[in-house]
Amino acid sequence: MARGLNRVFEPGAVAVVGASADPQKRGHIILKNIMDGGFAGPVYPINPRGGTILGLAVYPSLDDVPGPVDLAVIAVAAPLVAGVVEGCGRRGVAGAVVISGNFREAGNDDLEAELVAVARRTGVRVIGPNCQGIARPGSRLCATWPLMKDPGGMAIISQSGTVGAAFALWASAEGLGVSAFVSLGNRCDVDESDLIDFFGGDAATRAIALYLEGVRDGRRFMDVAGRVGREKPVVVLKSGRTASGRRAAQSHTRSVAGRDEVFDAACRQAGVVQAGDVEDLYDRAKALAMLAPPRGARLGIVTSSGGSGILATDAAAGAGLDVPALGAGTVAALRAALPAHCIAGNPLDLTGDTDAARYAAAAPLLREEVDMVLLIFGDPIPGACEAALRVRDETGLPVAALYLGGGEVEAPERCRLNRAGIPAFTTPERAARALAAPAGWARRAGLFSANEGSGAR
Amino acid sequence: MARGLNRVFEPGAVAVVGASADPQKRGHIILKNIMDGGFAGPVYPINPRGGTILGLAVYPSLDDVPGPVDLAVIAVAAPLVAGVVEGCGRRGVAGAVVISGNFREAGNDDLEAELVAVARRTGVRVIGPNCQGIARPGSRLCATWPLMKDPGGMAIISQSGTVGAAFALWASAEGLGVSAFVSLGNRCDVDESDLIDFFGGDAATRAIALYLEGVRDGRRFMDVAGRVGREKPVVVLKSGRTASGRRAAQSHTRSVAGRDEVFDAACRQAGVVQAGDVEDLYDRAKALAMLAPPRGARLGIVTSSGGSGILATDAAAGAGLDVPALGAGTVAALRAALPAHCIAGNPLDLTGDTDAARYAAAAPLLREEVDMVLLIFGDPIPGACEAALRVRDETGLPVAALYLGGGEVEAPERCRLNRAGIPAFTTPERAARALAAPAGWARRAGLFSANEGSGAR
């Protein structure tokens, strides 16, 4: 259930139990990131030693804090955690994010059972234990590390703190961000299904991305993901798919990986998108969060680089998209609009001497023949972002971009494109595979227009 | 044949025919990059208008240049190119890189035939036409765009200028470089087989990476690649693998893609490594250029991030590597050397509180049980590079690294690792798949130790 999670992700006040003055300790790093993240409400460091940390007065215990607290981040020794959560219950704290490890993952099942019992009895929602925290940039809450501040449309739920953090950092590095980051840890209380449920109803979240080593409750996962997935894309990367990977997963979080065929079938049935690797998880979630569902699977490719166009075509076809040849009328219109050395087809090759204006003039001519457009900029091309926005506005179609071979211009231009709502990618194959995600989702969700799928195209 | 290519890639003097004062023109951009790349010998801009460009005296024609010229870069209108190459012959120029387009790719087969005839008659080696130039950082020669200055172990040969340039830029961005970059263009004279032959004998080149839309002479490709590939890894990405991709490839360079099964079988027979996409081409070439061939296929994974370890394990197993469980003696030694909460297996999970010293202490204990090591740093971990070098020195094994979730530290640390000779990757799957490349190559080259491949491991 999503009960109580509103106050966890939009807290008015936060306590850090086990706050530390030692910059190496997690109880310090998280406190500092909460401050550096610009959290607007009161932040209460808790440590029996008292004093001040990062200029904040330290309270000996939760009971001493002067105001109400919604969220407690806990980084104390494992045997003390249940007592702290008990105290959270007394103080009306809605949720506890337990960073501390040394629970079930280290064989201390008794400590974890005690923690679960306290959570049940008090009604405090527990994230973790043995987790890397949470971030909610829209609430300016960064109770994790490294620092995550940029808001965006993807919610990241990860059984590995590092994998989730990497994901959030990639987003930030390319001008995007996340609606939330949640490190599940041992998920003794809050699990992936609770969070899919919660972010399914969260307006800031446009796609939900999960890294899982196993599902805690298969039936509930299918119910929730199946329901949420009709309205909002859910993408999952599940590890432990090989014999050695399963062995590793069992050592890591004591996840029982279950049979992959069962998980795969469940995902298909629930409409959950499965990713092949972490990059694929990222690319698909990004495309799903940023692009409106297309009305069909026909992709138009407009490129300055012939080779990149071919690679994108191969990858698109491999991912279930159609890169249709163009009708005679469109080819004639392109020939009339373009210099003679351009190749009026699909891919539409504007060739290496193109400027941005040529994209803006030519791409809209594909409007009736394709359902989405990939613009490939294969050199530094000034005005690429403006041209992409014009193509989007004039066609009304989902538009993505690929920028490569652009030297120093490339990374800042990708950021500009991403910030303007045009998802920008780094390789032809990643761009094409990512574009297949919204198309696949729209098809499953019944959003393709009636005439889609006829072999005639 | 590699005839004449020495002087092309190590020229004493360069002429740019069609040099331009207009910063938008290729005849300007290339001249500027030759200067900015630090070319040490004379550079002669050629343009009938004379004057100076970028501070250099412009000569009306090649005949007016005062000294010998080894390489001419040609960026004049297509109908003038054959005449310029004729002049190159007169002046004893060894090679011409023809940037100009509007030849066979635009239907002007006659112009291209004339160019070929002149090349044959004069003995001038022609790269292109319709190409993006060449770079040879070791000779401080950058006759292409964007600017490529960083020397490294990979030779890049590409039928797409943009794809090749993207590749070189990726290398440069992560602290690596290339031994050479060659944009093939229409390959009217010099083709991929000539270049494999040439770079096969080039001491600076440790791996040869090719992007091809088709092979010009299949039998010769097999002969040359088969011979060179025994001594030096050759990795190929071939596009036009789907029906729509083949259609696009034929429009682009008029390559006849041929049947993929034939190409695939030829590659297998010649020992050529095939890449799945451009990232894969890059990652494999990087691993092959940087790592000594391992003595077997057993991978040891040492990680601070359990999840990343599992993902790497899955990907390694999928790519044909073995991530063996460890023997009881090694497990005991690890338990004695490590804190109790570490997971003494393979992956060896040092857990999130690890420092660099723990990697240096633990990884060498795997020495007898694995043939190569992947170190995964899943947080900012000071001293990661030094620890990786110690692991390499103490084990004598090929060592690669993965750095992710490290925030601001991550990109500079990856550069440091790469520069120190430890190939560093960005995702668990890319790292594991890349490591499979040297193992696969060593197996084919018969370099695995005699007891390799026993099912017992």
Side-chain angles (χ1 to χ4, degrees), chain B residues 2 28 51 59 64 104 120 144 163 202 216 247 260 308 320 329 332 334 340 387 430:
Chain B
H28 182 93
Y59 296 86
D64 303 304
R104 195 167 58 91
R120 294 271 150 79
T144 184
V163 170
D202 171 41
R216 201 170 69 148
R247 176 168 45 76
D260 271 345
S308 306
L334 287 167
R430 290 180 67 175

Side-chain angles (χ1 to χ4, degrees), chain A residues 332-395:
Chain A
L334 287 167
R335 292 223 166 103
L338 291 170
H341 65 279
C342 294
I343 302 172
N346 186 17
L348 170 57
D349 189 350
L350 303 178
T351 78
D353 70 349
T354 188
D355 56 10
R358 208 182 279 171
Y359 288 84
L365 300 173
L366 305 179
R367 187 173 29 219
E368 301 303 324
E369 308 228 28
V370 300
D371 305 306
M372 62 199 118
V373 176
L374 172 62
L375 303 176
I376 303 180
F377 302 101
D379 268 311
I381 296 177
C385 183
E386 292 70 21
L389 289 172
R390 247 184 81 188
V391 172
R392 188 180 65 180
D393 292 346
E394 289 193 19
T395 60

Side-chain angles (χ1 to χ4, degrees), chain A residues 24 26 102 105-106 132 145-146 160 162-163 165-166 169-170 211 213 237-253 276-279 304-311 313-315 317-318 322-326 341 343 345-347 349 351-354 377-380 382 404-408 410 426-430 433, chain B residues 24 26 102 105-106 132 145-146 160 162-163 165-166 169-170 211 213 237-253 276-279 304-311 313-315 317-318 322-326 341 343 345-347 349 351-354 377-380 382 404-408 410 426-430 433:
Chain A
Q24 302 298 317
R26 288 164 186 193
N102 245 331
E105 86 286 0
Q132 196 168 322
W145 71 94
S160 157
T162 300
V163 170
L169 292 168
W170 294 338
Y211 165 72
E213 287 158 22
L237 171 65
K238 184 179 160 312
S239 68
R241 299 185 72 83
T242 60
S244 359
R246 266 190 299 281
R247 177 169 46 75
Q250 277 161 23
S251 306
H252 181 219
T253 37
D277 59 33
V278 286
E279 249 179 25
S304 68
S305 156
S308 306
I310 304 167
L311 288 166
T313 301
D314 274 342
D322 186 14
V323 185
L326 303 177
H341 65 279
I343 302 172
N346 186 17
D349 189 350
T351 78
D353 70 349
T354 188
F377 302 101
D379 268 311
L404 84 170
E408 293 162 6
E410 190 181 309
T426 50
T427 77
E429 296 92 347
R430 290 179 67 175
R433 289 192 292 250
Chain B
Q24 302 298 316
R26 287 163 188 192
N102 244 332
E105 86 285 359
Q132 195 167 323
W145 72 93
S160 158
T162 301
V163 170
L169 292 168
W170 294 338
Y211 165 72
E213 287 158 22
L237 171 64
K238 183 177 160 314
S239 68
R241 299 186 72 83
T242 60
S244 359
R246 267 191 298 280
R247 176 168 45 76
Q250 278 162 23
S251 305
H252 181 219
T253 36
D277 59 34
V278 285
E279 249 179 25
S304 68
S305 156
S308 306
I310 305 166
L311 289 166
T313 301
D314 273 342
D322 186 15
V323 185
L326 302 177
H341 65 278
I343 303 171
N346 187 17
D349 189 350
T351 78
D353 70 350
T354 189
F377 302 100
D379 267 310
L404 83 171
E408 293 161 5
E410 189 181 310
T426 51
T427 76
E429 297 93 345
R430 290 180 67 175
R433 288 192 292 250

Side-chain angles (χ1 to χ4, degrees), chain B residues 334-413:
Chain B
L334 287 167
R335 290 224 167 104
L338 292 170
H341 65 278
C342 294
I343 303 171
N346 187 17
L348 170 57
D349 189 350
L350 303 178
T351 78
D353 70 350
T354 189
D355 56 11
R358 207 181 282 170
Y359 287 85
L365 299 174
L366 305 179
R367 186 173 30 220
E368 300 303 323
E369 309 229 26
V370 300
D371 305 305
M372 61 199 121
V373 176
L374 172 62
L375 303 176
I376 303 180
F377 302 100
D379 267 310
I381 296 177
C385 183
E386 292 70 21
L389 290 171
R390 248 185 80 189
V391 173
R392 188 180 65 180
D393 293 346
E394 290 193 19
T395 60
L397 298 175
V399 174
L402 161 65
Y403 218 118
L404 83 171
E408 293 161 5
V409 176
E410 189 181 310
E413 275 292 301

